[in-house]
Amino acid sequence: MKIREAHFFTEHTPLKKPFKTAVRTATKINSITVKITLENGTTGYGTAVATEAVTGDSLQGINSILDNILFPSIIGNDIENIGVNEKIIQTSCVGNTSAKAALSMALYDAYAKQLNVPLYQIFGGKVNTLVNDMTISINEPSEMVQDAKKAVAQGFTTLKIKVGINGQKDIERIQSIYDELGNDIILRIDANQGWNAKEAVKIIGEFEKRNYPIEFIEQPVPQHDIQGLKFVRDRVNIPIMADESVYSAKDAIEIVKLQAADLINIKLMKAGSLSEAYKIASIAETAGIECMLGAMMESTLSVLAAAHLAAAHPNITKIDLDPPLWLNDNQANLYFQNSKIQLPEVAGIGLNPVSL
């Protein structure tokens, strides 16, 4: 069945409260929703989000790439040739991973609908429920404690704590949360590239002395400092996760070759497609490196697509897909309920935007 047409629209969704990291502060998400239509009327949807401080992709750039390069490259193609279409998208231009990811989602959504199966089954998955974490934005320690207590009251047992602004203050942030919650809650520490390698070793060493219940430290150093990432990993005991350092399967191979990380965080907006994300998980699996499926501050649709992939790949063992819980979006409540993600038992991704 051939792809007849493709369109997109822009949407601005406010957050319930500001989302703060060492890299940026967000009060809303600026997203672009893609719709493709097959000759028989079947539709597929995907979304991209503009995160200039992370991927470098802007709304204007995403719009232009979709209209001028990506859409023309797949119109008239058979939806059944999903692998060929994915390769066309990936090789059509350099970078622009957010736009590519949105079109990839739309292709897979339509393809799964054609086969009348949920998306996770396309990738071999059987499980349709996942356990989520909750992110605690970087703020003053007292505010972070209150946010952490609220999340625990909602049933979360794993918290992702944002740090990376002022190393000594970061220690105070974690100590304050630990003093309140103790050892009953698992902590994931995300520095968002905020430390240098030597500073990271010093801070993580202090975490280890205080015996905090930390599962891993995520991206302690700038994304291109792979040697720095390895420097940290070789000198601490807490597992080190690569996030911004891994966009593609090639990046994952580099991390594996250098033994620079213990874990990898995969995001569709970085990978540029569902198939590329799956490759990253498979490459990591061969090296015994477990993966987490994460997300930028994205729309419910794109995070739900990521959840389908997470439910399918056996090497994706950790879930960090809480952005829908930050959104003023009624559709999020259908599938994201506190720490539980319930994938829909319908064909495709399972969510059709109302504006297209």
Side-chain angles (χ1 to χ4, degrees):
M1 187 62 59
K2 294 189 181 299
I3 302 166
R4 187 180 69 203
E5 58 188 18
H7 305 283
F8 67 81
F9 77 94
T10 303
E11 196 168 16
H12 306 282
T13 307
L15 303 184
K16 295 176 182 177
K17 62 180 296 184
F19 179 77
K20 301 178 183 179
T21 73
V23 177
R24 66 183 183 128
T25 297
T27 57
K28 63 180 179 180
I29 61 166
N30 301 311
S31 58
I32 293 174
T33 299
V34 168
K35 176 185 178 181
I36 66 167
T37 305
L38 308 184
E39 286 182 325
N40 65 353
T42 300
T43 55
Y45 298 93
T47 56
V49 64
T51 51
E52 292 89 342
V54 183
T55 62
D57 295 337
S58 65
L59 282 179
Q60 295 85 351
I62 295 169
N63 289 348
S64 179
I65 288 294
L66 286 171
D67 254 347
N68 298 307
I69 296 178
L70 297 184
F71 285 169
S73 73
I74 54 95
I75 297 297
N77 293 1
D78 291 323
I79 192 66
E80 290 80 7
N81 290 335
I82 190 72
V84 173
N85 288 325
E86 282 275 83
K87 186 173 183 178
I88 289 170
I89 292 170
Q90 293 304 307
T91 58
S92 63
C93 59
V94 175
N96 295 285
T97 53
S98 302
K100 291 175 180 178
L103 186 51
S104 171
M105 291 176 220
L107 288 172
Y108 269 103
D109 189 30
Y111 181 58
K113 287 174 181 175
Q114 277 291 97
L115 298 179
N116 197 32
V117 295
L119 179 57
Y120 69 88
Q121 291 185 12
I122 294 292
F123 290 98
K126 294 183 179 180
V127 176
N128 67 343
T129 58
L130 301 168
V131 178
N132 211 355
D133 65 6
M134 172 54 75
T135 301
I136 306 301
S137 280
I138 190 167
N139 281 299
E140 287 300 311
S142 58
E143 184 175 350
M144 293 177 74
V145 167
Q146 293 307 310
D147 289 341
K149 287 172 63 177
K150 181 179 178 181
V152 171
Q154 293 171 340
F156 290 92
T157 58
T158 302
L159 303 179
K160 185 174 183 179
I161 314 298
K162 293 290 188 179
V163 295
I165 300 177
N166 187 324
Q168 184 56 46
K169 193 69 169 287
D170 288 337
I171 296 171
E172 293 176 22
R173 292 177 172 107
I174 304 306
Q175 183 66 51
S176 297
I177 292 171
Y178 176 72
D179 287 343
E180 187 67 37
L181 302 179
N183 290 308
D184 295 333
I185 302 300
I186 297 170
L187 303 180
R188 297 170 169 175
I189 310 301
D190 186 3
N192 281 113
Q193 313 176 63
W195 305 325
N196 63 49
K198 290 185 178 180
E199 181 186 22
V201 171
K202 181 179 179 180
I203 294 168
I204 297 168
E206 188 62 32
F207 290 165
E208 291 177 342
K209 287 179 186 177
R210 301 187 186 197
N211 201 29
Y212 298 141
I214 294 175
E215 184 180 9
F216 57 74
I217 307 290
E218 184 176 347
Q219 199 63 46
V221 299
Q223 68 180 88
H224 297 302
D225 188 9
I226 307 302
Q227 290 296 335
L229 194 66
K230 176 176 173 56
F231 179 91
V232 176
R233 190 223 176 199
D234 288 346
R235 288 163 177 79
V236 301
N237 294 315
I238 296 174
I240 300 300
M241 175 178 283
D243 178 7
E244 288 91 343
S245 291
V246 178
Y247 273 59
S248 66
K250 288 182 180 180
D251 293 338
I253 290 172
E254 187 70 11
I255 292 293
V256 168
K257 284 170 58 179
L258 292 176
Q259 297 183 336
D262 302 287
L263 303 159
I264 292 175
N265 187 3
I266 302 169
K267 296 174 181 174
L268 297 184
M269 293 300 124
K270 293 187 301 170
S273 76
L274 287 156
S275 59
E276 186 75 4
Y278 196 93
K279 285 180 191 175
I280 294 170
S282 296
I283 289 167
E285 185 176 28
T286 64
I289 296 175
E290 295 180 12
C291 293
M292 181 166 78
L293 210 304
M296 311 294 187
M297 188 52 65
E298 301 173 26
S299 73
T300 300
L301 175 60
S302 60
V303 178
L304 188 59
H308 277 278
L309 186 66
H313 200 295
N315 195 45
I316 297 175
T317 60
K318 306 176 192 302
I319 308 300
D320 177 33
L321 296 174
D322 61 325
L325 300 174
W326 289 73
L327 305 179
N328 282 311
D329 177 10
N330 291 331
Q331 287 186 306
N333 300 327
L334 298 174
Y335 310 117
F336 296 84
Q337 296 151 0
N338 293 331
S339 62
K340 181 181 179 181
I341 302 174
Q342 180 68 56
L343 297 177
E345 284 297 305
V346 297
I349 295 173
L351 196 156
N352 293 336
V354 297
S355 299
L356 272 177

